[in-house]
Amino acid sequence: SFRMGIYQAVVGNWSRPPSARQGMQVTLLVELVPTGDVVAVSIMDSSGNGAFDRSAENAVNKVGRFVVPTESEVFERHFRKFTLLFRPEDLLR
């Protein structure tokens, strides 16, 4: 699925900060254009740890372009703007 591809791309570009601990999570709002390019990433719900939050934002920005559906209706409904819940326990398996 496209969502799994996005998640795996972010995981592959994440650098774990030393202060990251199990149980931390940050919710990001990711905004894309139809080519899949990232145009904005913002923190919706902070983990309370600035380094962790920035590492999650940076991971999305490092990807730069995601593979997204070419059907405009599907893209607009699910991928123009979406939230990404970022948790270390998910990323360190």
Side-chain angles (χ1 to χ4, degrees):
S1 77
F2 291 102
R3 287 217 178 254
M4 183 55 73
I6 288 170
Y7 183 78
Q8 289 173 339
V10 173
V11 168
N13 282 280
W14 186 56
S15 296
R16 185 180 199 262
S19 60
R21 298 288 178 262
Q22 293 294 332
M24 282 186 178
Q25 64 182 40
V26 60
T27 303
L28 302 173
L29 176 65
V30 180
E31 299 178 49
L32 307 178
V33 292
T35 59
D37 289 297
V38 176
V39 292
V41 183
S42 53
I43 296 168
M44 292 183 63
D45 188 20
S46 174
S47 67
N49 180 291
F52 176 73
D53 293 352
R54 281 188 305 278
S55 73
E57 272 184 299
N58 289 340
V60 173
N61 283 316
K62 278 183 191 175
V63 175
R65 176 183 282 174
F66 294 103
V67 176
V68 293
T70 55
E71 300 159 348
S72 63
E73 185 180 317
V74 174
F75 172 80
E76 293 296 334
R77 184 177 300 146
H78 300 288
F79 295 94
R80 171 71 72 177
K81 286 186 180 184
F82 61 91
T83 57
L84 178 65
L85 179 61
F86 205 78
R87 293 186 273 193
E89 57 266 25
D90 290 345
L91 301 172
L92 298 174
R93 284 187 195 146

